[in-house]
């Protein structure tokens, strides 16, 4: 695995600051925001300077009951090729539920939701990851996520779940230490125990981010400074193995570039100080006797570690093939598609995830075993996240509605689950306001109506008689 160094999440809002910041070895870009044929000029300039760019996917839903969508995998592969990336990352999460497996409407969460740590979920996740590995041109690493809620009846700890996942698939791990802190506050899980159980030799890189606590719940906001507790977990991890890369995530509420630089310095110094007497970094380790899941660092059995030989230069395809694990190679794509072994597990997982997501976004009863109060907190967080993202993809709506935007959208979200992407969500929200007679101000109604009409049809507007009739009909309905 490539040595990455210290990096930062690239976002358009801080693109200029990132370009001018000293000591940036690499950046991470949200894969869904990368158009291979039209890369942002800032990313192009960074690549020309030799800065590594890693695409980070958020919508694949590898932890969902369905097999990964071929189109989304193709898009992810295209982003990798366009950026010349040495690896690609995604999340251990589900982001949608329902559909054919449950004979119910497909629901989108608009957020990363936790996978139950059960044998069923692990079997499905392993197969989904192998399918993704076959479709992607470079190694895949997957990230542990933060959670507000816990699944009832879980059979493994997070460390055991990740150990088995890496052991069965050869997938690399993206360890988010901020998410370990979140799960410590919200779920009572010990970060040190999770690190004890992790296969540290599988770490591709580490995420660091900030958040805030409200009413005893930690929100992984990526909009606040990194707290000392998160740096302490980073230090603990770095004392066990030097991570190949560490990256600061910041998604909004961006501070001055000097503050970002200060946080990067603190991260760099934390790793350096903790790694003084540690073994070589994870990418240089060859583990010949893995520690059993759940074994503690104080146990007498330890992994036998040797330095790997310096790799020779090989073409990209060969390098990707060499990086693939024997377990992943043994599971060919054709064999996986032909195997029905995970179908019963998929069915059970689909029903459980659909029931949970429906409770969160459609107001159905809380599934048995869940904490209803925590589900309410999660539901409010999902609605708020939808409002924030729609405001970014359709900035005209909060501009037109002003202070009424957020309240109106959150009320809409609680009774209207998202069934498509965020742009579709913005259109549906505007249509809801217009057809429901919720806009009393004539000027606001006119502006929202014009916005909706401009974006709800083909572009440019078709002059075909049928299309013109449809537009006229919509105008009549909106006037009513």
């Amino acid at each position: 695995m490539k040595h990455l160094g210290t990096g930062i999440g690239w976002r358009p809002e801080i693109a200029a600051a990132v370009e001018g910041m000293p000591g940036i070895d690499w950046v991470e870009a949200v894969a869904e925001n990368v158009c291979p044929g039209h890369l942002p000029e800032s990313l192009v300039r960074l690549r020309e300077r030799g800065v590594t760019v890693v695409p980070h996917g958020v919508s694949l839903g590898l932890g969902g009951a369905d097999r990964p969508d071929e189109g989304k995998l193709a898009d992810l592969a295209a982003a990798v090729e366009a950026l010349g990336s040495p690896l690609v990352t995604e999340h251990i999460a589900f982001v949608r539920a329902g559909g054919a497996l449950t004979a119910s409407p497909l629901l989108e969460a608009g957020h990363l939701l936790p996978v139950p740590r059960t044998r069923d979920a692990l079997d499905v996740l392993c197969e989904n990851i192998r399918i993704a590995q076959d479709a992607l041109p470079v190694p895949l690493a997957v990230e542990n996520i933060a959670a507000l809620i816990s699944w009832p009846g879980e059979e493994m700890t997070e460390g055991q779940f990740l150990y088995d996942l890496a052991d069965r698939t050869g997938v690399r791990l993206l360890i988010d230490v901020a998410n370990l802190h979140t799960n410590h506050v919200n779920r009572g899980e010990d970060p040190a125990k999770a690190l004890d159980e992790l296969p540290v030799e599988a770490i591709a890189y580490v995420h660091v981010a900030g958040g805030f606590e409200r009413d005893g719940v930690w929100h992984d906001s990526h909009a606040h400074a990194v707290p000392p507790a998160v740096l302490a977990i980073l230090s603990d991890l770095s004392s066990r193995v030097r991570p190949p890369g560490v990256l600061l995530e910041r998604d909004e509420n961006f501070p001055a570039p000097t503050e970002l630089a200060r946080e990067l310095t603190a991260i760099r110094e934390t790793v350096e100080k903790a790694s003084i007497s540690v073994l070589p970094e994870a990418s240089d380790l060859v583990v010949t006797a893995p520690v059993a899941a759940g074994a503690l660092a104080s146990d007498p059995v330890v992994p036998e570690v040797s330095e790997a030989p310096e790799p020779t230069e090989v073409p990209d395809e060969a390098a990707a093939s060499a990086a693939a694990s024997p377990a992943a190679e043994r599971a060919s794509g054709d064999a996986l598609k032909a195997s029905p072994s995970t179908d019963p597990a998929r069915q059970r997982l689909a029903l459980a995830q659909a029931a949970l997501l429906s409770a969160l976004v459609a107001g159905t009863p809380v599934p048995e075993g869940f904490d209803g109060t925590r589900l309410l907190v999660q539901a409010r967080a999902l609605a708020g996240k939808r409002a924030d993202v729609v405001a970014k993809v359709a900035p005209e709506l909060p501009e037109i509605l002003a202070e009424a935007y957020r309240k109106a959208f959150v009320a809409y979200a609680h009774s209207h689950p998202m069934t498509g992407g965020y742009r579709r969500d913005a259109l549906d929200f505007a249509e809801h306001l217009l057809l429901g007679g919720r806009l009393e101000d004539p000027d606001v109604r006119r502006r929202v109506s014009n916005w909706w009409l401009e974006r709800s049809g083909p572009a440019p507007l078709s002059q075909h008689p049928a299309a013109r009739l449809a537009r006229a009909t919509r105008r009549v309905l909106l006037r009513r």
Side-chain angles (χ1 to χ4, degrees):
M1 185 60 64
K2 179 183 175 66
H3 173 81
L4 295 169
T6 304
I8 189 170
W10 183 91
R11 302 292 183 266
E13 297 90 338
I14 55 171
V18 170
E19 284 188 67
M21 207 172 289
I24 296 294
D25 302 311
W26 65 292
V27 299
E28 183 188 76
V30 176
E32 287 77 3
N33 294 341
V34 173
C35 180
H38 303 279
L39 294 179
E41 292 183 5
S42 172
L43 285 182
V44 173
R45 288 191 293 268
L46 287 169
R47 288 181 64 234
E48 289 172 347
R49 283 167 37 190
V51 175
T52 299
V53 182
V54 174
H56 185 53
V58 297
S59 65
L60 201 50
L62 290 171
D66 289 314
R67 290 176 173 83
D69 180 81
E70 292 183 2
K72 291 183 182 297
L73 283 172
D75 290 343
L76 201 53
V80 168
E81 299 283 7
L83 295 168
S85 307
L87 76 159
V88 61
T89 59
E90 248 287 353
H91 296 82
I92 302 170
F94 78 100
V95 296
R96 61 188 64 86
L101 282 173
T102 58
S104 62
L106 182 66
L107 300 176
E108 294 279 348
H111 192 61
L112 304 166
L113 293 176
V115 174
R117 297 170 194 155
T118 61
R119 294 294 169 190
D120 274 355
L122 182 61
D123 289 344
V124 170
L125 178 61
C126 285
E127 184 178 17
N128 286 350
I129 282 179
R130 292 190 192 107
I131 292 170
Q133 287 171 323
D134 285 343
L136 296 169
V138 294
L140 170 68
V142 290
E143 178 183 355
N144 60 304
I145 72 162
L148 288 172
I149 56 177
S150 299
W151 282 85
E154 291 193 313
E155 300 163 354
M156 288 170 274
T157 65
E158 180 162 41
Q160 292 167 344
F161 192 83
L162 294 177
Y163 185 99
D164 284 0
L165 175 65
D167 184 54
R168 289 172 57 176
T169 64
V171 74
R172 293 283 182 167
L173 299 178
L174 193 182
I175 298 301
D176 191 315
V177 292
N179 291 347
L180 292 179
H181 174 67
T182 301
N183 294 344
H184 170 61
V185 177
N186 294 347
R187 299 167 57 145
E189 297 174 356
D190 184 0
K193 182 181 179 183
L195 294 177
D196 286 338
E197 295 171 339
L198 281 178
V200 294
E201 71 280 359
I203 294 176
Y205 63 89
V206 174
H207 270 174
V208 182
F212 66 95
E213 187 171 354
R214 178 186 295 154
D215 299 328
V217 175
W218 185 267
H219 297 267
D220 182 44
S221 66
H222 294 191
H224 298 77
V226 178
V230 171
L231 289 178
I233 300 173
L234 174 63
S235 177
D236 190 1
L237 185 152
S238 301
S239 71
R240 301 161 187 262
V241 65
R242 188 183 182 94
V246 183
L247 181 126
L248 172 64
E249 286 190 293
R250 189 78 177 228
D251 292 335
E252 56 186 327
N253 191 27
F254 298 101
T258 52
E259 178 60 22
L260 290 174
R262 188 197 64 77
E263 288 201 283
L264 285 166
T265 298
I267 289 168
R268 191 179 294 110
E269 290 177 350
T270 298
V271 173
E272 291 293 337
K273 184 177 180 180
S275 303
I276 290 175
S277 59
V278 82
L279 291 167
E281 67 179 44
S283 59
D284 295 332
L285 298 182
V286 177
V287 178
T288 56
V291 177
L296 299 177
S298 57
D299 290 346
V301 178
V302 296
E304 180 186 337
V305 181
S306 62
E307 287 197 25
E310 197 67 28
T312 56
E313 288 192 15
V314 290
D316 288 345
E317 278 189 20
S321 175
S325 72
E329 290 174 356
R330 285 195 299 270
S332 69
D334 292 340
L336 283 168
K337 290 175 183 176
S339 172
S341 61
T342 63
D343 287 350
R346 287 184 185 278
Q347 187 73 48
R348 292 188 292 269
L349 184 63
L351 292 170
Q353 290 180 339
L356 173 60
L357 185 54
S358 181
L360 290 172
V361 302
T364 57
V366 174
E368 185 177 356
F370 281 95
D371 183 329
T373 301
R374 280 297 173 90
L375 254 63
L376 180 60
V377 173
Q378 180 72 82
R380 288 172 176 166
L382 290 178
K385 173 74 179 294
R386 277 176 67 184
D388 292 340
V389 178
V390 166
K392 289 182 179 180
V393 302
E396 300 85 359
L397 290 178
E399 179 184 332
I400 295 170
L401 298 172
E403 295 179 359
Y405 165 76
R406 189 172 184 83
K407 182 178 179 180
F409 189 93
V410 169
Y412 158 80
H414 282 313
S415 57
H416 294 77
M418 186 165 64
T419 56
Y422 282 109
R423 286 179 174 80
R424 179 72 261 168
D425 207 21
L427 286 168
D428 290 346
F429 169 57
E431 184 176 338
H432 166 76
L433 294 177
L434 292 166
L435 295 180
R438 293 169 176 82
L439 301 175
E440 297 179 0
D441 187 310
D443 182 59
V444 170
R445 180 179 176 83
R446 176 185 58 79
R447 293 172 66 191
V448 173
S449 175
N450 289 341
W451 180 91
W452 184 82
L453 287 170
E454 288 171 2
R455 290 160 179 79
S456 61
L461 295 178
S462 171
Q463 296 305 310
H464 190 278
R468 294 171 65 185
L469 176 61
R471 291 202 297 275
T473 302
R474 282 200 297 268
R475 291 192 186 95
V476 170
L477 288 173
L478 290 172
R479 290 192 189 99
R480 290 180 180 176

